[in-house]
Amino acid sequence: MEEKKRCIASEKLCETGFSYTLSLIQGKYKMTILYTLMEFNVVRFNELQRYIREISFKTLSSSLKELEHDGLIIRKEYPQIPPKVEYSLSERGKSLMPILDGMCEWGHKNRR
């Protein structure tokens, strides 16, 4: 049986798994946040902000909300004063880690 040749004219990038994955992790700091949670497991907001340094409060806050909405991270709030909130990877987020780990490995090998 002959394999049917794909034609770019009948394809749509937005319908690919690549596009879906990219939609979840694109953004200036989302992959950095995921990497940080991979490295340190459980992290508080201020710790994330200090670690990433150049990220603004607003950008970090909105990125965390989007990552939580997409099921990649877990936000745990403790009922105390002052408020305490911790972030960690969800199981879905952990399933992305081989991809991030591969990117880290590539970076180490190809860094100049």
Side-chain angles (χ1 to χ4, degrees):
M1 189 156 124
E2 193 176 311
E3 188 177 321
K4 185 178 177 184
K5 187 172 178 168
R6 293 173 61 200
C7 176
I8 194 167
S10 61
E11 301 279 335
K12 293 184 182 104
L13 178 65
C14 65
E15 295 174 355
T16 64
F18 174 79
S19 179
Y20 176 72
T21 304
L22 203 56
S23 74
L24 297 178
I25 62 173
Q26 73 184 359
K28 190 168 181 181
Y29 294 103
K30 284 186 179 179
M31 287 179 44
T32 304
I33 292 166
L34 292 170
Y35 169 81
T36 304
L37 295 176
M38 176 181 76
E39 289 292 306
F40 299 101
N41 297 318
V42 177
V43 182
R44 294 175 69 180
F45 186 95
N46 289 336
E47 292 171 329
L48 269 168
Q49 195 169 29
R50 278 192 300 272
Y51 183 71
I52 299 172
R53 294 184 188 223
E54 66 272 1
I55 193 168
S56 71
F57 178 91
K58 182 180 177 184
T59 302
L60 179 55
S61 181
S62 65
S63 296
L64 288 167
K65 284 177 185 169
E66 289 172 17
L67 289 166
E68 181 185 17
H69 177 265
D70 291 334
L72 298 177
I73 66 170
I74 297 167
R75 179 182 189 273
K76 186 172 183 182
E77 191 171 340
Y78 295 89
Q80 64 183 52
I81 298 174
K84 179 181 173 184
V85 179
E86 294 179 335
Y87 297 92
S88 59
L89 291 172
S90 65
E91 288 304 314
R92 187 173 191 214
K94 288 176 185 174
S95 71
L96 268 173
M97 292 310 102
I99 295 167
L100 284 183
D101 201 38
M103 291 175 69
C104 292
E105 197 173 302
W106 186 93
H108 287 299
K109 288 178 183 175
N110 293 279
R111 192 178 199 167
R112 293 181 184 187

